[in-house]
Amino acid sequence: MGDLSQDVKSNFASIKVKALLNIIYTAGWINSQQVDFFKPYGISPQQYNILRILRGGAEAMSVNSIKDRMIERAPNATRLMDKLCDKNFIERIACASDRRVVHIAITGVGLKLLSQIDKKFNRDLLKNLNNKEAKQLSALLDKIR
């Protein structure tokens, strides 16, 4: 990993084109690293995100609330939750006041999994940045959006 021009063996029409492609390329690299990290736990990065959201909530949440808080908006969030439910990491709770609404809660098994992940979570993806650079990167990404 180094200069994008060398990594993809290409020149770019402008520095802004290079910057945009660098964001896309780096996002793909980070995603690949995350997929590899979560594979031994039997979950995907998106499923981890769902578990993380549920752990941070004070109580069970609706599927739509979870979808709204996801970092990567997954159109297949319901299917992701089905798989988490099959593994007993989450549970569905029927809403007493509206049978059409289902709430999702993390289980003890899901909390235990997150505890294991927390001990080994790969925080080294930004190891080449100091705190000032990380703050600057975050601010620039916010500015783009």
Side-chain angles (χ1 to χ4, degrees):
M1 203 39 100
D3 180 46
L4 179 65
S5 298
Q6 294 174 0
D7 288 351
V8 299
K9 296 171 182 52
S10 184
N11 295 316
F12 304 98
S14 72
I15 194 67
K16 285 189 175 186
V17 168
K18 180 179 180 182
L20 177 60
L21 293 176
N22 207 341
I23 291 168
I24 295 166
Y25 184 78
T26 303
W29 176 79
I30 290 171
N31 187 57
S32 175
Q33 298 292 312
Q34 294 294 290
V35 167
D36 290 346
F37 175 81
F38 288 115
K39 193 172 286 186
Y41 298 101
I43 62 172
S44 68
Q46 295 86 1
Q47 289 171 317
Y48 169 73
N49 190 21
I50 291 168
L51 292 172
R52 184 192 58 77
I53 290 166
L54 290 168
R55 176 176 60 183
E59 53 191 47
M61 300 174 70
S62 71
V63 172
N64 284 336
S65 294
I66 295 168
K67 286 180 182 180
D68 289 345
R69 293 184 58 191
M70 290 183 72
I71 292 171
E72 183 181 332
R73 302 283 194 256
N76 60 347
T78 301
R79 186 178 61 80
L80 293 171
M81 288 183 229
D82 288 343
K83 289 183 177 186
L84 289 170
C85 196
D86 291 344
K87 295 177 183 181
N88 295 318
F89 295 142
I90 64 171
E91 63 182 341
R92 289 184 175 86
I93 303 168
C95 179
S97 61
D98 188 343
R99 293 185 330 188
R100 297 170 295 174
V101 176
V102 175
H103 289 95
I104 308 294
I106 191 165
T107 64
V109 176
L111 289 170
K112 186 177 178 182
L113 176 70
L114 287 180
S115 177
Q116 293 171 358
I117 290 171
D118 287 344
K119 292 175 186 170
K120 296 182 180 179
F121 192 73
N122 188 354
R123 291 171 178 35
D124 292 340
L125 294 176
L126 299 180
K127 68 183 176 195
N128 294 329
L129 300 180
N130 61 38
N131 285 343
K132 182 180 176 184
E133 291 168 332
K135 184 176 179 179
Q136 181 182 21
L137 174 61
S138 187
L140 289 171
L141 292 170
D142 287 343
K143 187 175 182 178
I144 289 171
R145 287 188 315 279

